[in-house]
Amino acid sequence: MTQAQARSVAEQAARLSYGRLVAMLAARSGDIAAAEDALSAAFAAALEHWPVRGIPDRPEAWLLTAARRTLGQKRARAVTARAAEPVLTLLGEERNMPHDGIFGDDRLKLLFVCAHPAIDESVQAPLMLQTVLGLDAARIAGSFLMSPAAMGQRLVRAKTKIRDAGIAFVVPDAEQIGARTGTVLAAIYAAYGTGWEDVMGADARRKGLAQEAIWLGRLMVQLLPDDPEAMGLLALMLHCEARRVARRDTEGGFVPLYRQDPAQWSRPMVREAETWLRTAATFAKPGRFQTEAAIQSLHAQSLMTGEALHAPLNRLYDLLVAVAPSLGAQVARAVALADSGAPDRALLLLDQCARQAESYQPWWVARSHALRLSGRRVEAAQAVDIAIGLTEDKAIRRFLAEQTAMDRNIG
Amino acid sequence: MHYVLLYKETAAEVGKRADPAEADAYWGGWNAYMGAMAQAGVMVGGNGLQPPETGTTLSIVDGVRHVHDGPFADSKEALGGYVVLDVADLDAALEWAARAPCVSAGSVEIRPVLPPPPQS
């Protein structure tokens, strides 16, 4: 076998089983960084051995054994007196490993560790992307508006904390699993990006790792098959992802949802999202992500059929603000209210959260929208100007600039 | 694993110790809490501390002793006591921290104890 073939098999094994192997290795020691190091040493060994001796029958098991040996040797060097114990344990585990190539999956435990409340919230999503998917710090850093060096440092610090603070690799008990799952799902959604879709012309604060986040969303549905919120999150991300192409015109300009051509949406993704949403509904346990997905589903339905669905949309936004009262949800509810013919009530709602929203771009976009609908075009133009000043995305800045020009001409 | 739980109390909370109207409830709460940890067999040791104004802070700068009355810096919360627990993991330590009387009138800091250095 050639070097290239070995590389391709090793890379495939890496993609498919990276997170599983890291989780298995770290679950016993609590040391994620050591598990990652041992695994990369195992991949390097595979590239050396496989071209000469052929690809093993069970590449994943081969990698696991090689990585465990590295970990065992490392520990043996570190402690002489107690060295025999972990090495013997490891050897015992290897012997007991099932021979059909199927072994346990500790990824759920790993995800719960990454989203443990003792880990800083801002590093939870990056930590999942790195440990479960094997993304490097530089790739993750770009999506979280951080320098690669700073991101690398924070990831190292988080892994050290997990090891030294003794955070257990366990699936939380029945009493806690609901809240803890919510944290894991929120971190995955943070990796996807934020709720730009809700408000017309609202800025995405970061580009997000959309494909990777959807992959993690699918993994959660697979690992927690009875959790309707995991299905809700997957449905939500699929609805948003289905519109990716339609969100930009041929010149790269921003196209808000209400002007998108539904024919450009990915039908398979919309269909899959709807299927997950329906399955989630059979559990009769509504929650934040199911509500957000249902909102996106109604938006899609409304555009495809041309039927206005203001009343059910307003009800869903009320529900969303009740279960997850974030600033984003409150702003989105105000926009829906303005669209349904109540711009003055929308402005009242926006005034209520004005103090937290001074530099929150979607709030200014929503305010200008409601002002425009109530005929106050001069004030609307002023609000858009502030929104433009808070916008990071060039295409959205241009879109908003065109709006304010229109407001000024008419006003 | 061994964890130290550092109990931080607000001045108002510390004040309850000597307030006739509050003292019974204050000490009753702590006694019950400490008793529960001892009963569960998780407590390695620990102590309550006299109030922060009884503290003295010492530092040596350029060979000169600086002795200072009170804790090093004024802060909203002062260390009121500590325990050393032997429990399986951080979550178990957090469970015990959550039951501390000062957790809603102050805070509890949970620190893993440094393991002994490897013998060479």
Side-chain angles (χ1 to χ4, degrees):
Chain A
M1 180 196 329
T2 66
Q3 185 75 27
Q5 275 172 313
R7 184 175 291 277
S8 119
V9 174
E11 272 168 5
Q12 204 193 351
R15 244 197 314 279
L16 292 175
S17 51
Y18 183 87
R20 247 155 60 107
L21 292 172
V22 167
M24 289 195 75
L25 293 164
R28 221 149 273 114
S29 63
D31 193 338
I32 295 173
E36 288 172 330
D37 288 348
L39 196 54
S40 48
F43 281 120
L47 288 181
E48 198 179 307
H49 288 282
W50 294 0
V52 186
R53 294 184 207 163
I55 293 167
D57 293 343
R58 296 180 298 146
E60 211 180 33
W62 190 98
L63 290 165
L64 184 64
T65 305
R68 277 183 168 160
R69 202 159 286 152
T70 308
L71 277 178
Q73 280 164 1
K74 208 176 149 196
R75 255 176 252 151
R77 274 196 299 273
V79 255
T80 46
R82 282 171 294 167
E85 196 186 322
V87 175
L88 289 175
T89 315
L90 285 173
L91 291 174
E93 276 164 10
E94 268 168 43
R95 268 197 302 279
N96 294 333
M97 207 163 64
H99 285 279
D100 53 4
I102 300 162
F103 33 84
D105 194 340
D106 287 327
R107 281 180 297 184
L108 191 57
K109 295 177 190 168
L110 181 58
L111 285 163
F112 278 117
V113 165
C114 293
H116 193 281
I119 298 300
D120 190 90
E121 202 183 306
S122 65
V123 80
Q124 290 175 352
L127 202 55
M128 286 179 185
L129 290 163
Q130 176 153 81
T131 58
V132 180
L133 284 166
L135 296 191
D136 63 37
R139 172 94 196 282
I140 301 167
S143 296
F144 287 86
L145 304 174
M146 209 183 277
S147 77
M151 178 57 84
Q153 230 168 35
R154 304 188 72 166
L155 287 167
V156 168
R157 204 183 304 146
K159 288 173 205 167
T160 308
K161 164 97 191 245
I162 289 167
R163 184 192 64 200
D164 292 347
I167 295 177
F169 279 67
V170 288
V171 174
D173 56 25
E175 200 181 303
Q176 291 201 331
I177 193 162
R180 295 284 305 280
T181 304
T183 320
V184 174
L185 297 178
I188 294 174
Y189 193 39
Y192 183 80
T194 41
W196 30 256
E197 193 76 9
D198 282 331
V199 184
M200 21 115 37
D203 198 358
R205 296 191 63 78
R206 44 172 100 109
K207 274 197 247 72
L209 290 155
Q211 297 305 319
E212 288 79 2
I214 290 174
W215 194 93
L216 287 175
R218 287 190 198 286
L219 180 64
M220 284 303 279
V221 169
Q222 182 197 327
L223 295 175
L224 288 172
D226 293 327
D227 190 311
E229 276 295 90
M231 299 171 195
L233 173 64
L234 183 54
L236 171 62
M237 292 192 294
L238 287 168
H239 260 304
C240 295
E241 198 56 21
R243 301 173 193 154
R244 180 168 290 275
V245 175
R247 204 174 296 131
R248 289 282 185 271
D249 62 25
T250 42
E251 281 104 55
F254 170 75
V255 185
L257 180 59
Y258 70 94
R259 274 201 221 147
Q260 285 175 19
D261 174 9
Q264 282 189 300
W265 295 344
S266 159
R267 285 306 157 105
M269 278 195 213
V270 172
R271 266 199 302 272
E272 197 195 342
E274 290 298 304
T275 306
W276 284 119
L277 200 50
R278 273 197 304 275
T279 313
T282 62
F283 288 84
K285 275 198 296 189
R288 175 203 163 177
F289 289 114
Q290 292 170 76
T291 310
E292 287 198 48
I295 287 169
Q296 294 311 326
S297 168
L298 279 190
H299 276 310
Q301 200 186 319
S302 172
L303 274 158
M304 284 193 283
T305 61
E307 183 193 356
L309 297 166
H310 294 310
L313 267 172
N314 284 338
R315 273 199 299 278
L316 281 177
Y317 276 114
D318 287 348
L319 180 64
L320 180 62
V321 168
V323 294
S326 69
L327 188 54
Q330 293 179 58
V331 168
R333 175 167 71 150
V335 171
L337 208 54
D339 283 335
S340 67
D344 295 328
R345 272 173 60 210
L347 284 169
L348 274 177
L349 282 182
L350 288 170
D351 284 343
Q352 281 168 15
C353 53
R355 251 187 305 163
Q356 316 146 255
E358 264 172 16
S359 57
Y360 185 60
Q361 190 261 11
W363 186 85
W364 289 99
V365 174
R367 186 173 159 74
S368 76
H369 185 61
L371 285 167
R372 187 178 307 113
L373 289 176
S374 61
R376 292 152 71 179
R377 289 196 167 262
V378 178
E379 287 166 88
Q382 287 163 350
V384 174
D385 281 340
I386 296 172
I388 291 170
L390 295 168
T391 300
E392 288 158 13
D393 186 303
K394 203 167 58 183
I396 291 173
R397 210 179 295 140
R398 202 170 62 218
F399 168 80
L400 292 173
E402 283 163 15
Q403 284 212 310
T404 175
M406 270 186 334
D407 285 335
R408 293 225 152 83
N409 283 339
I410 297 168
Chain B
M1 243 181 109
H2 285 191
Y3 294 87
V4 173
L5 271 51
L6 300 162
Y7 302 110
K8 318 268 184 78
E9 297 179 296
T10 58
E13 192 66 10
V14 179
K16 289 181 184 174
R17 294 180 175 191
D19 179 344
E22 307 267 12
D24 281 353
Y26 176 91
W27 292 114
W30 277 104
N31 285 340
Y33 172 63
M34 293 288 176
M37 284 193 288
Q39 178 72 33
V42 293
M43 204 155 100
V44 178
N47 287 108
L49 300 175
Q50 300 265 12
E53 58 269 24
T54 63
T56 306
T57 306
L58 169 81
S59 61
I60 295 182
V61 179
D62 297 329
V64 180
R65 277 187 179 208
H66 293 265
V67 178
H68 172 81
D69 180 16
F72 179 67
D74 281 333
S75 68
K76 278 189 197 148
E77 293 174 2
L79 187 63
Y82 69 95
V83 294
V84 182
L85 296 186
D86 186 3
V87 289
D89 53 49
L90 179 64
D91 285 321
L94 285 169
E95 281 302 302
W96 284 111
R99 297 176 181 127
C102 69
V103 79
S104 47
S107 61
V108 182
E109 183 175 341
I110 297 102
R111 294 277 288 270
V113 170
L114 206 57
Q119 286 139 16
S120 50

